[in-house]
Amino acid sequence: MKEYQTITEISGPLVFAEVDEPVGYDEIVEIETEDGRTLRGQVLESSEGIVSIQVFEGTGGIDRNASVRFLGETMKMPVTEDLLGRVLDGSGNPIDGGPEIVPEERHNIVGEAINPYSREYPEEFIQTGISAIDGMNTLVRGQKLPIFSGSGLPHNELALQIARQATVPEEEEGEDDDGSEFAVIFGAMGITAEEANEFMDDFERTGALERSVVFMNLADDPAVERQVTPRLALTTAEYLAFEKGYHVLVILTDMTNYCEALREIGAAREEVPGRRGYPGYMYTDLAQLYERAGRIEGQEGSVTQIPILTMPGDDDTHPIPDLTGYITEGQIMMDRDLNSQGIEPPVNVLPSLSRLMDDGIGEGLTREDHGDVSDQMYAAYAEGEDLRDLVNIVGREALSERDNKFLDFADRFEAEFVQQGYDTNRSIDETLEVGWDLLSDLPKEALNRIDEDLIEEHYREDESEAAEVTADD
């Protein structure tokens, strides 16, 4: 293995070195500084005679006298089932004081694209215990469903609630233990030490850590490491899913910090910037991460992704949410107005969407009435929202009795259906029963999106009649 002392330039997180033989793209590099430290890096660009290297731990302490070794292989993640319950840093090293990881295998972190012909269509329900998601924007196994949030909104609390509560209902019901197990991979990028402590306290307090693997890249860690963290998390997820048969939920937060790292490295390489200074290849880069979700025909396990991103300035046309929306299958939108009203979690169901919901709900999956109830609540809430605007102009007295009922429905929908706190775990049956409670306040003839047989079975006739009797008295 040749050792070079030919560093010509250091620029931000990048080191440029001269070489006398071809070096492979993405090859792992060791840089030994004069004070004896060994830093790891990766070849970012290789041309005749010179290579650029991004250094994971930052370029502090590196000078022209440092020696460079090319290891002849790309970065690999040591994987084993024993990773469950462990906490690792953004480079995959244990930071929980536990024993060293003894890997069963070492997998390339770039992963392999799933052959489209081998992909199995996602259509099995994952229960998060959160009504706004389960009832209105259902998550299915193998889906990628991002959460679009904003600075200061409680997306971390929502992420922790999903990590704690997410289950595959059929596995719960099965008496035997032969079914696939459920695991959570939590990849945190660019979070503060305070947020990291909050995450870890919650994981340990609730026992969720036992079925989780946590990757922590903190805000003061190098930006380059931030690019590696989600790839390590997804490589671990693919191993557990497709070799060990787990149903794996991958939560990645915050993708905005990941994209900022891409921009920082692009600027250091003096690349021509794209929209708002982000690199032109950001769409491809994000797709390489998001498309690693899915199911493979003949394999028991699945990889489901929930990437979380904070929209700069709450702007959903910003390149990060914009490109994410192109690649993923819907979005869960968090709302600042709902948050200021104390609604927990502040999920706005109107702009939210799960494109695979229709295939993952209904008889045999969730419940026969799920689709109709969801459609009717969406329509009634949308009408209530429109009426709120009208009330601001003409006043509530000018509305008809029917309109007032829809206005009341919108208030109750937020206060009883969306609002549930971060510690309440509702089953899909409980979520739909809350929905029927709310819909029973509307006149029967207004329920034009629900099958008549379902209305006869579930509509709370007695409640509405009692309300009418009271009004007459």
Side-chain angles (χ1 to χ4, degrees):
M1 193 185 299
K2 274 191 179 178
E3 202 165 289
Y4 295 87
Q5 281 191 318
T6 54
I7 292 175
T8 58
E9 186 187 345
I10 299 165
S11 171
L14 304 183
V15 169
F16 296 84
E18 292 176 345
V19 291
D20 58 1
E21 58 186 36
V23 174
Y25 174 70
D26 266 358
E27 197 170 310
I28 291 298
V29 181
E30 285 183 349
I31 299 175
E32 197 168 317
T33 61
E34 277 194 298
D35 58 6
R37 288 189 307 139
T38 301
L39 306 175
R40 287 194 313 161
Q42 193 172 22
V43 174
L44 202 59
E45 201 171 333
S46 179
S47 57
E48 199 172 331
I50 195 155
V51 295
S52 63
I53 303 159
Q54 55 181 5
V55 185
F56 298 139
E57 293 93 343
T59 52
I62 299 176
D63 58 20
R64 291 177 186 274
N65 298 320
S67 53
V68 180
R69 287 189 297 274
F70 298 95
L71 303 189
E73 64 172 16
T74 55
M75 190 169 185
K76 290 184 166 54
M77 172 72 193
V79 287
T80 166
E81 217 169 337
D82 296 336
L83 281 169
L84 289 166
R86 300 299 303 272
V87 183
L88 315 172
D89 67 12
S91 296
N93 305 309
I95 53 171
D96 55 2
E100 279 296 309
I101 293 164
V102 180
E104 292 174 19
E105 297 174 33
R106 292 167 62 82
H107 285 200
N108 192 324
I109 67 162
V110 176
E112 294 178 12
I114 301 175
N115 184 332
Y117 184 76
S118 304
R119 277 188 184 267
E120 204 170 278
Y121 194 80
E123 52 185 12
E124 287 154 312
F125 170 61
I126 288 179
Q127 182 173 291
T128 63
I130 299 163
S131 293
I133 296 176
D134 293 348
M136 306 296 286
N137 300 283
T138 309
L139 177 70
V140 297
R141 289 188 227 168
Q143 185 176 5
K144 37 197 181 290
L145 186 65
I147 294 172
F148 286 6
S149 184
S151 180
L153 291 179
H155 44 268
N156 289 341
E157 286 82 349
L158 184 61
L160 284 169
Q161 186 174 10
I162 293 170
R164 278 197 309 271
Q165 296 179 178
T167 56
V168 180
E170 303 94 282
E171 308 302 346
E172 281 183 350
E173 291 162 17
E175 291 301 312
D176 57 346
D177 227 0
D178 298 338
S180 298
E181 295 180 71
F182 199 84
V184 176
I185 309 288
F186 197 89
M189 294 161 279
I191 62 170
T192 63
E194 184 183 356
E195 288 172 323
N197 291 336
E198 197 179 298
F199 283 135
M200 291 319 306
D201 289 347
D202 193 273
F203 271 112
E204 287 163 8
R205 176 177 60 82
T206 59
L209 188 59
E210 289 175 18
R211 60 167 190 171
S212 307
V213 186
V214 180
F215 292 85
M216 287 278 187
N217 168 272
L218 300 182
D220 59 348
D221 289 333
V224 174
E225 186 181 272
R226 220 154 287 157
Q227 285 191 284
V228 176
T229 306
R231 291 178 167 82
L232 294 173
L234 289 164
T235 303
T236 307
E238 287 168 345
Y239 170 77
L240 291 173
F242 303 132
E243 297 197 23
K244 297 297 178 181
Y246 282 80
H247 291 302
V248 185
L249 178 64
V250 182
I251 300 173
L252 300 172
T253 183
D254 179 341
M255 291 306 293
T256 301
N257 293 334
Y258 172 84
C259 294
E260 294 291 350
L262 275 184
R263 181 162 69 170
E264 185 179 325
I265 290 157
R269 291 173 66 183
E270 298 180 2
E271 295 170 341
V272 178
R275 203 158 41 125
R276 302 208 195 177
Y278 291 94
Y281 52 80
M282 188 163 78
Y283 179 89
T284 310
D285 198 285
L286 289 173
Q288 285 175 346
L289 299 179
Y290 297 147
E291 291 295 341
R292 291 173 75 171
R295 301 202 65 177
I296 297 177
E297 214 170 292
Q299 300 270 14
E300 185 61 38
S302 61
V303 176
T304 307
Q305 275 190 44
I306 299 185
I308 298 171
L309 56 92
T310 49
M311 300 180 288
D314 291 350
D315 177 12
D316 56 10
T317 66
H318 186 278
I320 301 170
D322 192 33
L323 297 179
T324 296
Y326 279 126
I327 302 162
T328 54
E329 291 128 5
Q331 69 278 332
I332 304 295
M333 298 287 284
M334 299 193 77
D335 187 84
R336 210 168 282 283
D337 289 339
L338 290 176
N339 187 54
S340 64
Q341 293 169 36
I343 303 291
E344 297 177 345
V347 173
N348 186 352
V349 300
L350 294 181
S352 298
L353 169 71
S354 171
R355 292 193 180 97
L356 302 183
M357 173 174 173
D358 290 346
D359 300 300
I361 63 172
E363 200 168 2
L365 293 164
T366 53
R367 224 170 73 174
E368 182 189 11
D369 57 332
H370 188 163
D372 286 1
V373 169
S374 171
D375 290 348
Q376 187 64 65
M377 284 199 293
Y378 190 97
Y381 182 54
E383 189 168 340
E385 276 283 281
D386 289 341
L387 288 166
R388 283 174 174 171
D389 295 336
L390 188 61
V391 165
N392 291 333
I393 301 165
V394 301
R396 186 150 189 170
E397 298 74 23
L399 298 186
S400 67
E401 185 184 347
R402 179 188 180 280
D403 287 348
N404 273 302
K405 288 198 170 185
F406 276 92
L407 205 54
D408 291 337
F409 175 87
D411 293 336
R412 282 193 66 196
F413 179 80
E414 291 172 356
E416 296 175 35
F417 189 86
V418 180
Q419 161 67 28
Q420 66 176 79
Y422 295 111
D423 296 315
T424 305
N425 186 357
R426 286 184 187 158
S427 69
I428 188 62
D429 283 324
E430 289 171 326
T431 289
L432 294 174
E433 289 310 313
V434 172
W436 275 111
D437 262 351
L438 300 178
L439 291 173
S440 296
D441 273 0
L442 298 176
K444 240 187 197 183
E445 60 273 14
L447 306 184
N448 51 12
R449 293 170 185 262
I450 304 181
D451 187 273
E452 286 182 13
D453 293 340
L454 294 174
I455 293 176
E456 290 305 318
E457 186 181 342
H458 295 282
Y459 189 77
R460 319 275 203 259
E461 188 79 58
D462 52 338
E463 291 180 19
S464 57
E465 281 179 359
E468 284 172 23
V469 170
T470 309
D472 290 341
D473 291 346

